[in-house]
Amino acid sequence: RFRAMDYYQAGVVCYLAINGFIALTMLAGFQPRSRHITVSILMDILLLHGLLIASTGITNGLANLVIVSVAAGNILTPTRIGTFYAALGAICSLGISAWSVLVFDDSADEIVRAGSLGILYFAAAFILQYISRRMLRSEALASSRARSIAELEQINRQIIQRMRTGILVLDRFGRIRLANAAAEELLFGTATEDSKLPSRGRNLPRPLRRGLDAWLKDPARRTEPFQATQTSPVVQANFTQLDQQRGDQILVFIDDMSRVTQQAQQMKLASLGRLTAGIAHEIKNPLNFVNNFSELSKELIEEVFEELEKLDESDIKQEIMDILTDVQSNLTKVHEHGSRADGIVKSMLQHSRGSAGKTSAIRVNEFVKEFSNLAFHGMRAGKNPINVNLDFDLDENAGELTLVMEDFSRVILNIVNNAFDAMRDKQNSSKNGEYLPSLKIKTKRLKNKVLISIQDNGPGIPDGIKDKILHPFFTTKKGTEGTGLGLSITHDIVKAHGGEIKIESEAGDGASFLISLPIS
């Protein structure tokens, strides 16, 4: 007994010394690797079981420390080696209890206790391995996301630095927290590529400070353009709060008005160039006709004088009548093409001016019906009337819309007249005479908009030109009948009212123009 007690005391001292040595090496900065951890855990399990042998066996409270060692091993190395720690601890515990039963005739309860401890070892191993793996995955995911956030922050910083719009972040006292290179150049006359944003802590230029004070008093107020210094460009500042609850940080966008003006001027010049090219292209043909027929009429009149000298008095009258008839025909054509050129110019002026009319509340059904009937009666009174079945399907809940009546009446008239022209062409090309032109006009009220549908049963629109039909100067009409501006102007008017226009058609099966307009 005394010898066992000596062994136990010596083992405790050795166990304390080993763990003290390990603690000192860790404090000295030693970074253990996985093999060092494995040796340490195995030695810990074996030493603890050795102390159990030298003491009262498995009933000693030191057996509980084995659970701690197995748990620590599975936390530090959550692999199959952790299961080996549990297996080693269970085998050692069962071996000690069996030796006690066989040698010292202890109770069989020792084996049951050892089995219970083994179960605890394995349970601790499996649970902690699962938890450790989850923690490692979470840590890896957090590290990955932290790297991604850092990369995105760096990218955003670089993007902000290279933006042509100046960006400032101010505190509630108006001091600069962050500023990109464009803001420094526009406000202070110098630009830098330093990602640390050296304008931090600078005071705002006085004009910008006055604009900030005015905005703080009235956030809905738009600040006037200003110059930070006499040599700085004219800029426009726009303010917004970064933190809506506390309002202690303010984001400022600084726009160079000279660049905006240049861009607007470039867009205006480009639009003017396209407009000029379109007018020149479209007017070229009718002016050629005017010139040609004028020249031809001049030649015919010269022939009149020549024939007057050659012919006898009895033949003069008929010859003159024939020549004057040709001259009259040519002058009629000159008038037609001159009128077409005038119509092109007027349409282009309407197309370029946009709407200048006043809006008013109109009842949708009455408006659509009135101008559709106007186009219908105008068609029947024209040179080439057709028999059209005009059908209305109007939603009683369509209500009112706020529109520019003068402009939107052109939308209805243009679409309906185009439908009549298309159905007239189909009727003229129909041989059996069984074709009956039909035009159906519908209105429908939805939750936040009103739909107007104008559907004909004409020849339809081929897929190849469906996307072009709303473009300026594109027309499917022959000769001098169309300018290609009607549907383009219609599209612009609908867009100006905040609506959309869609075309649904299949070749040979009619066309449907669907107009959607917001109720507000």
Side-chain angles (χ1 to χ4, degrees), residues 60-74:
N60 194 315
L62 291 175
N64 296 325
L65 294 179
V66 179
I67 301 176
V68 177
S69 297
V70 172
N74 282 273

Side-chain angles (χ1 to χ4, degrees), residues 355-362 401-408 493 496-498 520:
S355 173
K358 295 182 179 180
T359 60
S360 59
I362 63 169
L401 288 176
T402 302
L403 304 171
V404 180
M405 182 179 293
E406 295 81 2
D407 287 348
F408 214 80
I493 293 173
H497 284 80
S520 59

Side-chain angles (χ1 to χ4, degrees), residues 286-357:
L287 289 182
N288 284 338
F289 280 109
V290 170
N291 293 332
N292 292 336
F293 284 124
S294 298
E295 187 68 26
L296 184 58
S297 298
K298 180 180 178 182
E299 293 176 359
L300 289 174
I301 292 174
E302 291 175 354
E303 289 182 10
V304 171
F305 290 105
E306 292 177 0
E307 294 297 328
L308 287 175
E309 296 176 356
K310 296 178 182 179
L311 298 176
D312 296 332
E313 185 177 349
S314 59
D315 298 329
I316 290 176
K317 184 176 181 179
Q318 184 61 40
E319 291 293 336
I320 292 176
M321 291 296 293
D322 292 340
I323 294 175
L324 291 179
T325 300
D326 292 338
V327 172
Q328 185 180 18
S329 175
N330 290 341
L331 291 177
T332 300
K333 293 179 180 178
V334 168
H335 176 72
E336 290 178 354
H337 288 284
S339 298
R340 179 169 178 258
D342 182 63
I344 291 172
V345 173
K346 289 180 179 178
S347 296
M348 286 305 303
L349 289 175
Q350 292 175 346
H351 191 272
S352 59
R353 287 173 184 165
S355 173

Side-chain angles (χ1 to χ4, degrees), residues 184-313:
E184 291 184 348
E185 184 177 2
L186 294 173
L187 297 178
F188 305 110
T190 58
T192 178
E193 296 294 329
D194 188 1
S195 60
K196 294 182 180 180
L197 307 174
S199 290
R200 181 184 178 97
R202 282 190 185 182
N203 294 323
L204 292 178
R206 289 184 179 180
L208 183 57
R209 179 69 201 196
R210 289 194 296 267
L212 175 62
D213 293 337
W215 177 81
L216 290 173
K217 295 178 181 178
D218 183 9
R221 180 179 177 181
R222 183 177 177 86
T223 59
E224 297 294 330
F226 64 91
Q227 284 182 283
T229 61
Q230 293 182 351
T231 58
S232 299
V234 178
V235 295
Q236 172 73 53
N238 297 297
F239 303 90
T240 185
Q241 288 183 351
L242 280 177
D243 191 338
Q244 296 293 334
Q245 295 181 351
R246 296 190 304 171
D248 56 352
Q249 287 189 342
I250 301 171
L251 181 63
V252 187
F253 296 95
I254 309 294
D255 293 313
D256 187 349
M257 297 303 293
S258 61
R259 292 176 181 172
V260 175
T261 304
Q262 290 175 0
Q263 291 174 356
Q265 186 67 18
Q266 291 173 358
M267 293 175 63
K268 187 183 294 185
L269 291 175
S271 299
L272 182 61
R274 289 194 296 270
L275 178 64
T276 304
I279 293 176
H281 177 268
E282 290 300 317
I283 293 182
K284 180 179 179 181
N285 291 332
L287 289 182
N288 284 338
F289 280 109
V290 170
N291 293 332
N292 292 336
F293 284 124
S294 298
E295 187 68 26
L296 184 58
S297 298
K298 180 180 178 182
E299 293 176 359
L300 289 174
I301 292 174
E302 291 175 354
E303 289 182 10
V304 171
F305 290 105
E306 292 177 0
E307 294 297 328
L308 287 175
E309 296 176 356
K310 296 178 182 179
L311 298 176
D312 296 332
E313 185 177 349

